[in-house]
Amino acid sequence: MLALVVLLALTLLAIPPSRLLMEQWANADVLSRSRLIFGSVQGPVRRALADGDDERLASILAGVAEDDRVLAVGLCDAGGTMRGATSMMPPDFSCDSAARSEAESFSHIVQDGRHVFVATFPVSTPAGNAYLAVLNDLSYIAERTWQIQIYVVATLLGFGLVIGGAGAVLIFYLLKRWAESLRQAVENARRGKRLPAGRDMSGIERQIALLFKEIEATRGRSETAEVKWSPQSLHDLLATTLPDAEIIIVSNREPYIHNRRNGAIELQTPASGLVSALEPVMRACGGTWIAHGSGSADRDMVDAQDRLAVPPSDPAYRLRRVWVSEEEQNGYYYGLANEGLWPLCHIAFVRPAFREEDWRFYRTINQRFADAVAAEATTPDPIVLVQDYHFALAPRMIRKLLPEATIITFWHIPWPNAETFGICPWKEEILDGLLGSSIIGFHTQFHCNNFFDTVDRFIESRIDRETAAVTLAGHETLIRPYPISIEWPPAALKGQLPVEACRRAVRERFGLAPSACIAVGIERFDYTKGILDRMHSIDVLLTLHPEWRGRFTFIQVAAPTRSKLASYSRLQDEALALADEINARHGQDGHQPIRLVVRHHEPPEVFELFRAADLCIVSSLHDGMNLVAKEFVAARDDEQGVLILSTFAGASRELTEALIVNPYDARSMAEALNAALLMPADEQQERMHLMRQQVREQNVYRWAGRMLLDAARIRQRRRVLALAGSAL
Ligand code: G6P
């Protein structure tokens, strides 16, 4: 269509010059013809004049006028009288209107509406100059010009159509060939066919073959329900679906902390679900983990680039420490993250606090980590795994620095409903920051739904619930549930004594009788964990079932955490007081029903306690997932022990064979404790067997694998689109 318009425009433009050319040519033609006429008749005319033979003169001139294009001819004698004028001589054309000079002269006149070209030639006679006037009818020129214009237009149009048609046929042919070769390349790639000897793959064939290899690997993985997820399968997945991909993790908490104690440097593994989940993944994948260097000896252990290889005993990946001053830590970590976002996202009825200066530090530190990602990245499109509520702004910041990066943000804590999130003064900035990610992951579909509702309420964007995606300013972010888990088998299980030996060791350590029933609770001293609530339920248990007094002990291991904050130190005080109160009420003969141990335990100690326990209590008031529940299950290779699990922990959606409780209801939790203490061994075994199967299959390698598969799909889609773009 466009080509046709252009052709028409060119044709129209060609008309005026072609007309001018035609007119110039016609004038020149008439002129030369008039001269020719004059040349051929001037002799006879002169003689007829000399003889005074008007009849002969008239006959000569009539002969000239026989030419179609000559309108009339006449002779103006020296006296100015018209003689021998032919029949078509216009009556009002007189010798006065003919130019008379010493040389030939030409003029245009309009006679009865028609254009006439008058050529006047002097003829010398003894009586002075006579003039031969030749009048040419120019109307044929207009006719010719019109005809020529039609020819020009027709020729140009015809020419254009022929060329255009030929071009279209050629393009069609080339496209057909290209499509055929593309189809062939896809077919070859699909069947894994080799090219004939001597022929190399073209660039596009190579890319298609590579893409197919990756897609096949991706499909193979995702469609194989029975994939046994392990460090090796995760490693293989990376090699096949994301070859050459660079993995960078960003988290606040570092996996290894170096602390100085009594002049020596100690290595500590922090109490953090995030770290327990990600550390085995990094050991399997390799890459760089960027985290806050929070230990008192951390600076002594890094190189000039603030890096060190970890795990220190058997290095598998790189830890890059980022430094944060105390003032910054107060604002970013204690302030905005833990006094603002943490209580905002957990329904534990602790009021969130939002302070402007905390927000400033939060932004600064997010930018510092984003800059560290850009500095550590050695490729333009690394896979960046941003962790948790400490870095809600970092995804957008990283996207600005590395537009090609695949950014997967995982939110380890619950996402509240839109109304609750609306409390946050910087809700739009936080949502915008997160939507810089390629994927945002939550533990449960419920949290994904809350996130969609929040975006819907506060940000102008396109939400597609069918594909589970949010598009903001042309950038698409997938929102997906990825229930986090633990490594299987857990490293901490290695070197553990048999269950019986653990039972003996723990009972001896706490001075308990060999037959004593033990319940354990192991976590950070955090108000979301429902530590007070479980103590209340023990109080109720011992009140309603006094037969357990002296026979039942609850060991609560609580690692001090965020103690600078009033909400945390208050909890510690309250828990100590409540334990004393309950012990005073139900203790007997030196036996205390509650043993509160406030210190950090390394994983092997934790696992020994799990193995020694009859039951484990996880009574979180609200928890994204809760990995303690899964670790307890993983520790029990004897398939014994009962898990009491809060319905408000994400883990309750997976570990359905636990005794599910409402921690706000002390009475029913007490009954669940009683039921657990009375549960027969075979029922324990049945439940534990199913839960172990769940954790074994849905382990942390699967969690990471599913995220990386989705990342691989995003990258493949981008490459297919780029390929299509470059091919067309
Ligand atoms: C939760 C958070 C983690 C955090 C962990 C320990 O699990 O989701 O991001 O690392 O608590 O808390 P802390 O403040 O000591 O890192």
Side-chain angles (χ1 to χ4, degrees), residues 252-253 271-274 333 338 342 388-390 412-413 524 561-562:
N252 172 69
R253 188 58 66 201
S272 158
L274 179 156
Y333 170 79
N338 285 315
W342 180 270
D388 231 352
Y389 59 100
H390 309 91
H412 289 255
I413 61 176
R524 289 180 306 107
T561 177
R562 309 171 193 169

Side-chain angles (χ1 to χ4, degrees), residues 329-442:
Q329 174 78 339
N330 287 340
Y332 138 79
Y333 170 79
Y334 285 110
L336 203 281
N338 285 315
E339 280 200 293
L341 295 177
W342 180 270
L344 178 75
C345 293
H346 288 93
I347 307 170
F349 305 99
V350 171
R351 192 185 195 279
F354 293 108
R355 290 176 290 265
E356 180 70 34
E357 70 268 26
D358 293 347
W359 174 244
R360 249 186 321 109
F361 283 120
Y362 188 81
R363 281 201 323 247
T364 306
I365 301 302
N366 270 249
Q367 188 63 59
R368 186 171 303 162
F369 274 77
D371 292 342
V373 171
E376 291 298 323
T378 56
T379 55
D381 60 348
I383 295 182
V384 187
L385 303 168
V386 178
Q387 306 301 311
D388 231 352
Y389 59 100
H390 309 91
F391 295 114
L393 303 180
R396 169 80 54 216
M397 294 167 170
I398 297 168
R399 170 80 51 222
K400 282 199 180 126
L401 297 168
L402 297 168
E404 300 285 294
T406 305
I407 305 171
I408 307 178
T409 301
F410 193 79
W411 197 259
H412 289 255
I413 61 176
W415 187 275
N417 63 34
E419 208 170 9
T420 305
F421 195 77
I423 292 171
C424 178
W426 304 288
K427 50 189 171 288
E428 289 93 355
E429 289 90 333
I430 287 179
L431 291 172
D432 179 78
L434 287 170
L435 290 171
S437 315
S438 315
I439 304 176
I440 303 175
F442 295 97

Side-chain angles (χ1 to χ4, degrees), residues 20-36 69 104 106 108 117 119 121 136 138 140-141:
L20 190 69
L21 208 66
M22 180 60 203
E23 281 172 2
Q24 282 173 356
W25 169 80
N27 279 337
D29 178 49
V30 172
L31 191 62
S32 69
R33 208 145 28 81
S34 301
R35 279 186 184 133
L36 211 63
R69 283 163 294 184
E104 58 186 19
F106 311 97
H108 274 95
F117 179 81
F121 302 94
N136 293 275
L138 290 184
Y140 83 97
I141 292 178

